[in-house]
């Protein structure tokens, strides 16, 4: 009976039903209190369900009973590290390394945790002492990226893929760094290499049967486009749709209902649908939009390439001279959310500008889970005195129509930045010290969006907004 219950619990976990997993593992443990797999699964499910008090108790019990198992020690270390308690995680990672003396992954986890806890010198000694391991080299690259030591990170990733040619993460990270440095041709090759491996392992959301387009003649052919990343990526790559049409292709697009109408204004799209099973999407070739720069080897920067008629113009009737849209946060589920999104309260100085009327382009106001605590980035947004445009942002075309009424958009790295940039609207994007590759590594210009000015964080977000205020005053 115990294995049957455990198998049901495993399936519930795979399906994302963590509460069911916890119930089933509780039953299993009652039947056999020494059944280690059930204890491991229960602790992991509690962590996933964000029941952190119970998860910590379960993790500590795991270590007390089976801490000599390196995998158990590592699991407990990951729990504490993931919840921002890096100093507490270190002893568990040390125990994992002691139990698994030759395991490079254990060493990499310990070195990474040491760095996150502020012990950079010890972490770097560990990385350099084991430079013959692809895993250590990849993790060293992540460490170097966090310190903005990009060229050294590129070297680390190159060494990692030389040792392990099929190392997906190392290829992908190398691609991102090369793109950030403006080395687009090789960067897109490495970026795509990582994406191809992810597709083979079933990590990508879109899976189609058509052969991947690799540059074959498109005259008289139909090509299906889709995107496995976020809305910003799709908007960014819409500039290539007319290029494909000019090559004789009939271009079909699979995308969400909310963005299809705006993307259709790029031209070149013969048909689009939000249904992956739509028979009209059947094509001769398929291509993820992020593959287009690599295959075409073109990097067009002409804007606008999206259009939208102005909407709700009555909302923008104001005596103030300058109408400024603000957006402070991207999607809460993005891995980079805590790095790129900005508390609304940081923008408060803009509200004091006598000649500026603010308009909120922030659609989502949900609480986020950052560093083991709930954070509501929209706290205090009412103090901005901004006209709330969210009720009118029914889809991306409507959002674009609202943006067309503005003189300036000031935004974090969000889809709004891409919409405004693609429309050719004057836009100031506030980016973190380690920005997305599109915004480049230095300078205030953007290769992809000529109407965008980049403001780079140095220290804290308040300093960036002070710089924005200085430019508005000028």
């Amino acid at each position: 009976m115990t294995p049957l219950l455990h198998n049901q619990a495993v399936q519930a976990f795979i399906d994302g039903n963590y509460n069911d997993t916890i119930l089933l593992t509780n039953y299993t443990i009652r039947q056999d209190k020494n059944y280690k797999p059930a204890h491991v699964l229960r602790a992991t499910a509690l962590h996933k369900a964000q029941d952190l008090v119970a998860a910590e108790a379960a993790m500590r019990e795991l270590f007390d009973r089976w801490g000599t198992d390196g995998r158990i020690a590592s699991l407990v270390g990951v729990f504490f590290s993931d919840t921002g308690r890096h100093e507490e995680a270190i002893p568990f990672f040390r125990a994992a390394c002691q139990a698994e003396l030759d395991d490079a992954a254990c060493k990499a986890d310990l070195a990474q945790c040491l760095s996150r806890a502020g012990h950079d010198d010890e972490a770097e000694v560990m990385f350099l002492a084991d430079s013959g391991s692809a895993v250590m080299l990849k993790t060293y690259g992540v460490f170097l990226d966090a310190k903005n030591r990009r060229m050294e990170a590129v070297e680390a990733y190159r060494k990692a893929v030389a040792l392990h040619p099929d190392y997906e993460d190392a290829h992908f990270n190398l691609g991102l760094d090369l793109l950030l440095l403006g080395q687009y041709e090789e960067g897109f090759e490495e970026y795509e290499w990582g994406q191809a491996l992810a597709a083979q392992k079933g990590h990508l959301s879109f899976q189609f049967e058509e052969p991947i387009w690799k540059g074959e003649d498109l005259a008289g052919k139909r090509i299906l486009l889709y995107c496995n990343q976020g809305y910003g990526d799709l908007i960014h790559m819409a500039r290539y749709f007319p290029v494909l049409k000019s090559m004789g292709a009939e271009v079909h697009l699979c995308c969400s209902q909310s963005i299809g109408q705006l993307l259709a204004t790029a031209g070149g799209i013969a048909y689009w649908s939000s249904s992956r099973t739509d028979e009209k999407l059947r094509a001769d070739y398929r291509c993820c939009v992020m593959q287009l720069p690599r295959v075409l080897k073109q990097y067009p920067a002409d804007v606008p390439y999206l259009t939208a008629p102005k909407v709700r113009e009555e909302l923008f009737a104001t005596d103030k001279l300058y109408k400024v849209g603000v957006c402070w946060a991207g999607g809460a589920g993005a891995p980079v959310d805590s790095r790129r999104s900005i508390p609304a309260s940081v923008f408060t100085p803009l509200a004091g500008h006598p000649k500026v009327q603010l308009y909120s382009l922030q659609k989502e106001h949900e609480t986020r889970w950052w560093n083991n605590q709930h954070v509501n980035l929209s706290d205090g947004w009412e103090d901005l005195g901004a006209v709330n445009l969210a009720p009118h942002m029914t889809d991306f075309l409507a959002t674009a129509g609202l943006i067309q009424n503005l003189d300036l958009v000031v935004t974090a790295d969000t889809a709004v930045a891409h919409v405004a940039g693609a429309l050719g609207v004057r836009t100031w994007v506030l980016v973190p010290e380690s920005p997305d590759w599109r915004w480049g590594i230095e300078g205030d210009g953007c290769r992809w969006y000529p109407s965008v000015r980049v403001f780079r964080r140095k220290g804290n977000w308040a300093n960036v907004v002070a710089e924005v205020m200085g430019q508005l005053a000028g």
Side-chain angles (χ1 to χ4, degrees):
M1 188 65 178
T2 297
L4 177 61
L5 274 175
H6 183 67
N7 290 339
Q8 292 174 350
V10 169
Q11 188 58 54
F13 184 87
I14 292 171
D15 293 339
N17 299 323
Y18 302 126
N19 289 332
D20 289 349
T21 305
I22 294 164
L23 287 172
L24 287 165
T25 52
N26 284 339
Y27 290 142
T28 306
I29 291 167
R30 286 194 195 106
Q31 290 188 3
D32 184 351
K33 64 181 181 180
N34 294 316
Y35 193 60
K36 183 165 71 170
H39 284 275
V40 172
L41 186 58
R42 179 176 178 272
T44 306
L46 286 166
H47 183 191
K48 289 284 188 180
Q50 295 297 318
D51 187 348
L52 299 183
V53 173
E56 180 176 347
M59 290 287 179
R60 289 190 182 279
E61 181 183 357
L62 269 179
F63 186 77
D64 289 344
R65 298 184 67 175
W66 297 290
T68 55
D69 182 335
R71 292 166 298 177
I72 296 293
S74 180
L75 178 69
V76 180
V78 168
F79 167 77
F80 283 103
S81 185
D82 282 355
T83 52
R85 298 159 68 179
H86 304 300
E87 199 69 52
E88 292 176 76
I90 290 172
F92 298 105
F93 285 126
R94 290 197 192 280
C97 288
Q98 186 173 2
E100 308 284 347
L101 293 178
D102 294 324
D103 192 307
C106 285
K107 295 176 184 177
D109 285 342
L110 173 57
Q112 184 167 264
C113 188
L114 285 166
S115 173
R116 289 173 175 171
H119 306 295
D120 286 341
D121 290 344
E122 184 180 355
E124 191 153 14
V125 167
M126 280 194 70
F127 286 127
L128 294 174
D130 202 359
S131 58
S133 159
V135 173
M136 285 292 277
L137 283 165
K138 187 274 296 185
T139 311
Y140 186 36
V142 174
F143 168 88
L144 293 167
D145 276 335
K147 309 302 176 190
N148 286 320
R149 293 160 61 182
R150 298 289 171 187
M151 298 309 297
E152 293 174 79
V154 166
E155 182 181 359
Y157 294 136
R158 288 195 191 282
K159 289 179 178 178
V161 298
L163 289 170
H164 185 352
D166 293 335
Y167 199 171
E168 172 189 340
D169 289 345
H171 277 287
F172 188 70
N173 289 356
L174 173 59
L176 290 175
D177 271 357
L178 291 172
L179 291 173
L180 184 62
L181 293 166
Q183 299 177 35
Y184 295 131
E185 187 165 345
E186 186 184 3
F188 279 115
E189 287 287 348
E190 291 294 331
Y191 182 94
E192 166 55 22
W193 207 95
Q195 289 290 288
L197 277 179
Q200 291 172 15
K201 295 181 179 181
H203 294 172
L204 300 182
S205 56
F206 280 89
Q207 298 290 338
F208 296 102
E209 297 178 358
E210 288 81 1
I212 297 174
W213 181 58
K214 299 179 180 178
E216 294 89 345
D217 185 4
L218 288 178
K221 302 293 185 180
R222 179 183 293 174
I223 185 169
L224 169 61
L225 302 179
Y226 56 96
C227 184
N228 279 305
Q229 290 82 25
Y231 287 124
D233 300 286
L234 192 47
I235 295 164
H236 182 196
M237 295 299 156
R239 67 189 70 218
Y240 289 100
F241 299 168
V243 177
L244 295 173
K245 182 180 179 181
S246 72
M247 297 169 66
E250 180 183 329
V251 183
H252 288 200
L253 173 68
C254 186
C255 64
S256 75
Q257 192 70 30
S258 64
I259 200 169
Q261 290 187 71
L262 176 62
L263 296 176
T265 71
I269 298 296
Y271 179 78
W272 70 272
S273 174
S274 60
S275 173
R276 302 182 195 185
T277 59
D278 188 336
E279 284 297 316
K280 294 182 181 179
L281 290 178
R282 304 293 293 180
D284 299 292
Y285 299 104
R286 64 179 168 94
C287 189
C288 175
V289 294
M290 292 301 294
Q291 296 170 325
L292 293 174
R294 178 186 63 83
V295 179
L296 293 168
K297 291 185 170 50
Q298 297 180 31
Y299 316 110
D302 296 333
V303 296
Y305 57 86
L306 297 181
T307 60
K310 291 182 178 181
V311 297
R312 305 306 302 262
E313 293 181 71
E314 72 278 5
L315 298 173
F316 299 88
T318 174
D319 294 333
K320 299 288 182 70
L321 296 181
Y322 223 56
K323 297 182 284 292
V324 178
V326 291
C327 183
W328 49 88
V336 297
D337 183 47
S338 63
R339 192 170 74 230
R340 70 173 183 181
S341 293
I342 307 169
S345 58
V346 174
F347 289 88
T348 303
L350 300 182
H353 197 295
K355 296 182 179 180
V356 166
Q357 174 62 56
L358 296 180
Y359 293 81
S360 171
L361 291 164
Q362 185 63 41
K363 190 170 182 180
E364 305 294 341
H365 294 270
E366 73 269 30
T367 299
R368 288 121 199 281
W369 181 257
W370 287 1
N371 299 324
N372 202 27
Q373 61 182 331
H374 292 289
V375 177
N376 188 345
L377 296 177
S378 293
D379 279 350
W381 83 271
E382 297 90 348
D383 296 335
L384 297 178
V387 177
N388 185 15
L389 298 179
H392 312 289
M393 296 166 64
T394 52
D395 63 14
F396 276 93
L397 184 63
T399 300
L402 293 165
I403 288 173
Q404 293 281 41
N405 291 285
L406 297 168
D407 299 304
L408 172 68
V409 172
V410 179
T411 177
D413 178 7
T414 67
V416 165
H418 290 276
V419 172
L423 293 170
V425 172
R426 191 183 186 202
T427 305
W428 293 353
V429 180
L430 283 53
V431 303
E433 291 94 335
S434 184
D436 182 75
W437 61 268
R438 293 163 185 82
W439 312 120
I441 194 69
E442 59 186 1
D444 61 5
C446 175
R447 166 67 179 79
W448 298 94
Y449 298 116
S451 67
V452 165
R453 178 171 181 176
V454 180
F455 289 76
R456 303 182 184 278
R457 173 173 170 161
K458 294 172 183 170
N460 57 52
W461 288 118
N463 293 339
V464 184
V465 172
E467 185 181 354
V468 168
M469 280 293 291
Q471 292 300 312
L472 281 173

